[in-house]
Amino acid sequence: MQYRTLGRTGVQVSSLALGAMNFGAIGRTTQDEATAIVDAALEGGINLIDTADMYGAGESEEMVGKAIAGRRDDIVLATKAGMPMGDERNHQGSSRRWLVTELDNSLRRLGVEHVDLYQIHRWDPNTGDEETLSALTDLQRAGKIRHFGSSTFPAYRIVQAQWAAREHHLSRYVTEQPSYSILQRGIETHVLPVTEEYGLGVLVWSPLASGWLSGAIREGQEITTSRSTFMPQRFDTAIPSNRARLDAVEQLAKVADEAGLTMVQLALGFVTAHPAVTSALIGPRTPDHLHAQLAAADTVLSADVLDAIDAIVAPGTDLAAHEKFDTPPALLDPSLRRR
């Protein structure tokens, strides 16, 4: 396992981090299975665990809390807030009112007194940067969080938040958590240059592209992955973007075979090779999935392999641009671009 400094925090984190989204109902993972995954991850050298309040409506946090009981100080613990937690309109977003309340809820579910990294799950266009940063700064000064970061923010919002922190003399986001994989490389165009400019740590999610790069999806085979059962439209190869992904996967499989690598090693080795990336978040549902992903912990791709990947999916290219989560609201809502 490699270890890297998380932005400018001085905190050392593993290049592979454990994402806990699949703990509980989402991944049909029991507490015993979740604890076994955490045990194996820690044994394999992982020291960063990332979860969120909305994963299973708090169930993931509860399971993580039970799994790490008695060894809290050995773990860099991260969680997120901001996505809806029920139907109440104010139980979401990044207002002071909600963050102060929801952090206490997360701490209770996790069974801890503080988290090391508290992240805003998505940019909230209804709340000003000063409001959010002021609340986070106060929570940091109260000792409930050590650092805070953003998740899936557009590049211009990352820049704006950095300037707002400076203008109002507040603490700033020290990390960003974007989606990044061989098949979704759009963040190379704007987000990663910005995180490098401001010295942010980068924790990338979905490095296996929702299973497309797991090795389980190949031409001529029925797609039966867990994700495909509840998101079938993302795996329907009659859709042009999915056809493009499958074509790329077939070419990438040849690159992996020639390099003596699994698809998982190729995928994780690719994202962790970028100098702006600190850690890749893996989200195994079973111990077997975890061990297959841990095998990539020391994978270093040669320049020839990286060049071959670039020839298949060009730098800065998203093969499924419509699946982006950081699209500016005005591109999604016509009323926002008309007087």
Side-chain angles (χ1 to χ4, degrees):
M1 183 66 68
Q2 305 171 49
Y3 296 89
R4 300 166 177 179
T5 304
L6 185 62
R8 295 173 180 165
T9 67
V11 177
Q12 298 294 300
V13 296
S14 47
S15 58
L16 296 183
L18 180 62
M21 186 180 75
N22 281 319
F23 288 7
I26 295 177
R28 303 185 302 280
T29 306
T30 67
Q31 181 63 60
D32 287 344
E33 290 170 331
T35 300
I37 290 171
V38 169
D39 289 345
L42 297 180
E43 184 177 347
I46 287 177
N47 73 340
L48 170 60
I49 298 178
D50 176 85
T51 183
D53 59 352
M54 61 87 65
Y55 296 162
E59 186 180 19
S60 173
E61 287 184 325
E62 292 176 354
M63 295 175 78
V64 167
K66 292 175 181 177
I68 66 172
R71 47 189 173 181
R72 166 68 182 92
D73 292 341
D74 298 330
I75 295 164
V76 179
L77 182 60
T79 193
K80 300 181 286 291
M83 301 289 275
M85 290 292 286
D87 296 330
E88 165 56 44
R89 67 184 64 205
N90 285 312
H91 288 186
Q92 62 182 302
S94 58
S95 68
R96 172 182 290 272
R97 181 182 188 275
W98 177 237
L99 293 179
V100 170
T101 297
E102 186 59 359
L103 175 58
D104 283 341
N105 291 335
S106 287
L107 294 177
R108 172 179 48 78
R109 288 189 290 259
L110 288 162
V112 299
E113 295 181 351
H114 75 276
V115 293
D116 299 295
L117 180 64
Y118 197 50
Q119 301 154 104
I120 302 302
H121 211 150
R122 295 287 187 271
W123 170 55
D124 176 9
N126 297 313
T127 307
D129 288 311
E130 182 183 2
E131 165 86 0
T132 301
L133 293 170
S134 175
L136 292 170
T137 298
D138 287 346
L139 292 170
Q140 183 182 51
R141 290 171 178 168
K144 293 185 176 183
I145 59 178
R146 297 293 185 255
H147 303 284
F148 52 85
S150 56
S151 176
T152 322
F153 274 32
Y156 76 98
R157 295 307 317 175
I158 298 173
V159 174
Q160 181 59 33
Q162 293 291 314
W163 277 96
R166 178 181 298 182
E167 180 181 0
H168 299 291
H169 306 289
L170 300 167
S171 295
R172 68 187 188 97
Y173 295 125
V174 298
T175 60
E176 161 61 13
Q177 188 178 133
S179 174
Y180 184 41
S181 72
I182 295 176
L183 304 182
Q184 294 286 87
R185 302 183 60 174
I187 67 167
E188 295 172 346
T189 303
H190 300 294
V191 171
L192 293 184
V194 166
T195 61
E196 287 186 291
E197 175 70 22
Y198 288 100
L200 274 62
V202 176
L203 311 173
V204 300
W205 58 274
S206 198
L208 299 183
S210 298
W212 279 98
L213 299 173
S214 67
I217 298 177
R218 296 296 302 274
E219 182 72 71
Q221 298 179 7
E222 183 181 1
I223 300 176
T224 59
T225 62
S226 174
R227 193 65 61 89
S228 69
T229 60
F230 62 89
M231 303 175 74
Q233 72 282 1
R234 290 199 179 189
F235 299 89
D236 181 356
T237 54
I239 297 173
S241 60
N242 293 335
R243 182 70 244 177
R245 283 193 279 206
L246 186 57
D247 290 343
V249 165
E250 288 301 302
Q251 297 177 67
L252 291 167
K254 294 178 182 178
V255 173
D257 287 342
E258 292 173 0
L261 301 168
T262 65
M263 282 291 284
V264 169
Q265 288 174 313
L266 186 76
L268 295 179
F270 168 79
V271 295
T272 56
H274 197 292
V277 172
T278 311
S279 302
L281 289 164
I282 56 175
R285 290 193 305 109
T286 68
D288 287 343
H289 290 166
L290 173 66
H291 290 303
Q293 293 164 24
L294 282 175
D298 58 356
T299 299
V300 178
L301 303 185
S302 68
D304 288 344
V305 170
L306 292 170
D307 288 344
I309 292 172
D310 286 348
I312 296 168
V313 181
T317 300
D318 289 314
L319 293 188
H322 62 286
E323 292 178 6
K324 297 283 285 182
F325 290 89
D326 60 356
T327 304
L331 296 185
L332 303 175
D333 183 352
S335 68
L336 298 178
R337 57 179 185 265
R338 298 172 185 170
R339 289 187 181 277

